[in-house]
């Protein structure tokens, strides 16, 4: 059996559809209930609904063999896992954003609000820009509006949240998408099963991009 942590929510449902197409279905998973664990012995798979930002924790510690995590989470927390495949879903961009008229004149320490302090710190340290990090957990766009920060480092998907709050993208840091990740020990002990699943998922990804 391969144990897979799926990110709860819309992305997780899309990822599940891809894995079902790849030969790992478990229809019970889409039933409307509060269950978090599902199993299909014929397909040799067990799925678990996990909070998206926790997937890497489950996989790194071996609670599940595989998981699907956003590249943002992998860059932020740098879990000790293997990244096996870009699923090319959940695409978005990690960006610096702020009021359209804000120009960083380097006169003062730049105040940066974010859910991703490591990504932000790395980005600015590579540019030798001194910053003050303000770690928030959500609604990051509010920070520059209320004068809590000069800019934000956050995920931009459609750009709607920025637009509706009068903010714009100042720089793109990195493109983001969902990745299939594996626990390192599981990758050794369940090598053939995990390699087979990865290959079949890669075929399904290629099929979808046609
Ligand atoms: C994310 C992100 C932006 C928004 C971007 O927030 O932090 O706020 O989505 O999406 P858009 O470009 O399509 O508008 P999320 O929905 O995760 O909520 P949060 O405020 O709780 O972080």
């Amino acid at each position: 059996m391969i144990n897979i942590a799926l990110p709860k929510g819309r992305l997780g449902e899309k990822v599940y559809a891809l894995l079902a197409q790849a030969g790992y279905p478990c229809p019970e998973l889409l039933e409307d209930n509060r269950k978090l664990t599902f199993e299909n012995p014929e397909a040799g798979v067990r799925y678990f609904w996990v909070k998206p930002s926790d997937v890497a924790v489950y996989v790194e510690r071996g609670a599940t063999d595989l998981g699907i995590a956003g590249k943002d989470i992998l860059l932020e927390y740098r879990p000790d896992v293997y990244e096996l495949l870009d699923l090319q879903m959940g695409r978005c961009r990690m960006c610096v954003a702020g009021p359209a008229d804000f120009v960083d004149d380097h006169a003062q320490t730049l105040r940066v609000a974010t859910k991703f302090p490591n990504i932000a710190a790395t980005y600015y340290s590579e540019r030798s820009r001194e910053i003050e990090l303000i770690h928030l957990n959500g609604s990051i766009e509010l920070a520059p509006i209320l004068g809590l920060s000069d800019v934000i480092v956050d995920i931009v998907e459609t750009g709607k949240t920025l637009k509706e709050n009068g903010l714009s993208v100042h720089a793109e840091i990195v493109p983001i998408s969902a990745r299939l990740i594996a626990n390192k020990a599981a990758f050794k002990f369940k090598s053939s099963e995990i390699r087979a699943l990865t290959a079949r998922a890669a075929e399904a990804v290629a099929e979808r991009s046609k």
Side-chain angles (χ1 to χ4, degrees), residues 115 137-141 154-162:
K115 269 190 287 192
N137 296 298
S139 300
I140 314 297
E141 292 81 2
D154 200 13
I155 279 169
V156 178
E157 193 182 345
T158 61
K160 208 164 169 243
T161 312
L162 288 183

Side-chain angles (χ1 to χ4, degrees), residues 106-182:
H106 291 240
Q108 283 163 338
T109 301
L110 185 70
R111 296 170 307 152
V112 182
T114 187
K115 269 190 287 192
F116 303 95
N118 289 327
I119 293 176
T122 305
Y123 176 77
Y124 284 104
S125 110
E126 282 169 2
R127 283 155 186 80
S128 305
R129 179 67 175 111
E130 202 185 316
I131 63 164
E132 181 190 340
L133 272 173
I134 301 157
H135 189 179
L136 299 177
N137 296 298
S139 300
I140 314 297
E141 292 81 2
L142 260 183
I145 294 171
L146 295 181
L148 178 63
S149 75
D150 300 309
V151 294
I152 62 173
V153 165
D154 200 13
I155 279 169
V156 178
E157 193 182 345
T158 61
K160 208 164 169 243
T161 312
L162 288 183
K163 196 165 173 237
E164 291 190 358
N165 291 288
L167 305 174
S168 53
V169 171
H170 290 201
E172 183 173 323
I173 299 179
V174 66
I176 304 291
S177 57
R179 309 294 162 102
L180 177 65
I181 57 172

Side-chain angles (χ1 to χ4, degrees), residues 6 27 48 58 99 127 139 143 151 155 199-200 205:
L6 285 175
F48 306 92
Y58 281 81
R127 283 155 186 80
S139 300
V151 294
I155 279 169
R200 291 166 80 172
V205 170

Side-chain angles (χ1 to χ4, degrees), residues 87-116:
L87 298 179
Q88 295 176 31
M89 327 180 132
R91 284 177 190 275
C92 50
R93 303 174 289 153
M94 185 68 66
C95 292
V96 178
D101 59 359
F102 175 78
V103 179
D104 180 11
D105 60 8
H106 291 240
Q108 283 163 338
T109 301
L110 185 70
R111 296 170 307 152
V112 182
T114 187
K115 269 190 287 192
F116 303 95

Side-chain angles (χ1 to χ4, degrees), residues 28-46:
E28 192 198 349
L29 191 132
L30 294 176
E31 282 168 24
D32 186 19
N33 60 33
R34 307 287 289 174
K35 250 182 90 167
L36 299 173
T37 69
F38 303 89
E39 174 169 329
N40 182 353
E42 287 96 72
V45 72
R46 265 194 220 111

